[in-house]
């Protein structure tokens, strides 16, 4: 019995993680050797968890193309995507809808007294935020909605494919090893695997984890439905970039008023995953409102004849 294509994605994830974890110790030792021999101390300046992180990233990039070939992907057209004549409108709509949802959330934060304006925002960071939003929005949508969702659609009904890709999107964001400090002489062949399995210290409390996963799952579902209905990535890219820009701008302009690390749960809590994922029932409701606006937009914009509804 042949393995379904969407399961091969998880096999690729496991192999890439194992490869990165296996390579990290020799790379770390090589850096120590260069320093000891007086040739260079640049690589030796990185702690082991940083070396592991970079090795994992390179492992994913190196193995991605052969993995896609093994999964059966030969051409981008096989990912259920088509040319979108509404590309500019979809990007603009995505940016507008996501920004409106976050702006409404910010208004509730201020009215509720959960956040106040920062005394001296670093306005120079706006340029970096714009670049980050564009890059993250485009790259993550190509990976999660373009490749992962597209492959899931080969063997799953549309709704199940959207759910699987959204769950994958949510879980992957929390698969980050804890940044534990390991002495150079304590690094061994299995240190990379031990670090990857040491996820618990890097995870938030159970309540925050559930709420963070809920936000990512709802966002992933909205982005997946947009992709399936438009057979294009432009609307998801606009939404994703708008969320990243609005959320990071909010982090720049506002400061929380709570002293408790849990915030004012269940309504609103601290942001997770590099400050980009809001937690609490209010952020989830804001995402659901954005989803309703997107549905209204898709129901009132003419689409190409080969667009697929849900």
């Amino acid at each position: 019995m042949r393995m379904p294509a969407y399961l091969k994605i998880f096999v690729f994830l496991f192999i890439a993680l194992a490869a990165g974890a296996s390579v990290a110790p020799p790379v770390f030792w090589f850096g120590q050797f260069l320093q000891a021999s007086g040739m260079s101390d640049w690589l030796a300046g990185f702690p082991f968890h940083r070396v592991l992180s970079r090795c994992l990233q390179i492992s994913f990039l190196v193995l991605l193309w052969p993995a896609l070939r093994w999964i059966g992907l030969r051409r981008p057209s096989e990912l259920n995507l088509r040319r979108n004549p509404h590309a500019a409108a979809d990007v603009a709509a995505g940016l507008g809808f996501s920004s409106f949802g976050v702006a409404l959330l910010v208004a509730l934060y201020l009215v509720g007294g959960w956040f106040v304006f920062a005394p001296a925002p670093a306005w120079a960071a706006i340029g970096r935020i714009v670049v980050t939003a564009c890059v993250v929005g485009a790259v993550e949508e190509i990976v999660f909605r373009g490749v992962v969702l597209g492959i899931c659609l080969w063997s799953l009904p549309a709704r199940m494919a959207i759910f699987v890709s959204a769950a994958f999107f949510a879980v992957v964001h929390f698969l980050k090893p804890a940044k534990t400090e390991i002495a150079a002489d304590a690094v061994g062949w299995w240190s990379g695997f031990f670090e990857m399995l040491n996820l618990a210290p890097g995870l938030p409390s159970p309540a925050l984890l559930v709420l963070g996963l809920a936000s990512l799952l709802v966002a992933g579902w909205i982005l997946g439905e947009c992709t399936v209905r438009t057979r294009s990535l432009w609307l998801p890219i606009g939404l994703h970039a708008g969320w990243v820009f609005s959320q990071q701008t909010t982090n720049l302009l506002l400061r929380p008023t709570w002293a408790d690390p849990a915030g004012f749960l269940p309504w609103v809590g601290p942001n997770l995953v590099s400050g980009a994922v809001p937690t609490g029932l209010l952020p989830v409701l804001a995402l659901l409102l954005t989803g309703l606006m997107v549905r209204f937009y898709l129901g009132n914009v003419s689409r190409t004849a080969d667009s697929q509804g849900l």
Side-chain angles (χ1 to χ4, degrees):
M1 182 177 178
R2 293 185 61 184
M3 181 183 298
Y6 68 92
L7 289 181
K8 291 183 179 180
I9 296 175
F10 293 94
V11 174
F12 158 67
L13 178 64
F14 175 80
I15 294 175
L17 289 173
S22 300
V23 170
V27 172
F28 181 80
W29 293 330
F30 181 65
Q32 300 299 309
F33 167 76
L34 292 178
Q35 182 184 49
S37 61
M39 300 175 64
S40 172
D41 59 359
W42 173 76
L43 186 57
F46 291 95
F48 181 71
H49 67 81
R50 288 282 302 277
V51 174
L52 173 63
S53 177
R54 295 298 178 268
C55 287
L56 291 174
Q57 293 171 0
I58 294 172
S59 173
F60 277 103
L61 292 175
V62 170
L63 296 176
L64 180 60
W65 178 246
L68 292 177
R69 299 285 293 183
W70 172 58
I71 290 170
L73 179 64
R74 297 293 184 271
R75 296 177 299 276
S77 60
E78 297 174 341
L79 293 174
N80 199 49
L81 301 175
R82 299 291 184 271
R83 181 181 176 276
N84 184 0
H86 306 280
D90 282 355
V91 171
L95 291 170
F97 294 145
S98 56
S99 299
F100 177 80
V102 176
L104 180 61
L105 196 60
V106 168
L108 292 175
Y109 285 167
L110 294 172
V111 171
W114 298 314
F115 283 80
V116 294
F117 285 105
W123 293 106
I126 290 293
R128 174 187 57 79
I129 292 174
V130 171
V131 174
T132 299
C134 293
V135 172
V136 171
V139 171
E140 290 201 3
E141 289 314 297
I142 290 171
V143 172
F144 291 106
R145 255 58 61 178
V147 177
V148 175
L149 176 57
I151 291 173
C152 288
L153 287 168
W154 290 357
S155 50
L156 294 173
R159 289 188 182 278
M160 181 58 68
I162 291 174
F163 174 77
V164 170
S165 64
F168 186 79
F169 172 70
V171 171
V172 164
H173 277 78
F174 286 96
L175 290 180
K176 294 184 178 180
K179 297 179 180 179
T180 54
E181 295 294 336
I182 303 177
D185 57 358
V187 174
W189 283 104
W190 297 99
S191 295
F193 292 94
F194 292 145
E195 278 293 286
M196 286 199 307
L197 293 174
N198 190 26
L199 294 175
L203 294 176
S205 66
L208 285 175
L209 179 61
V210 169
L211 289 168
L213 288 172
S215 293
L216 287 167
L217 190 61
V218 172
W221 182 275
I222 295 170
L223 296 167
E225 184 172 345
C226 290
T227 303
V228 171
R229 293 188 62 174
T230 65
R231 303 191 75 173
S232 165
L233 295 178
W234 291 111
L235 181 54
I237 288 174
L239 283 166
H240 201 145
W243 278 326
V244 172
F245 174 80
S246 301
Q247 187 59 48
Q248 292 202 6
T249 303
T250 299
N251 295 342
L252 179 69
L253 299 179
L254 303 183
R255 294 292 180 269
T257 58
W258 60 71
D260 189 334
F264 289 97
L265 294 179
W267 298 108
V268 56
N271 299 327
L272 303 177
V273 190
S274 303
V277 179
T279 59
L281 296 179
L282 287 180
V284 172
L285 290 174
L287 285 169
L288 292 173
L289 175 61
T290 302
L292 291 176
M293 291 189 292
V294 170
R295 273 185 169 266
F296 178 81
Y297 169 75
L298 292 175
N300 290 273
V301 175
S302 175
R303 291 287 155 187
T304 55
D306 60 354
S307 290
Q308 178 179 346
L310 288 178

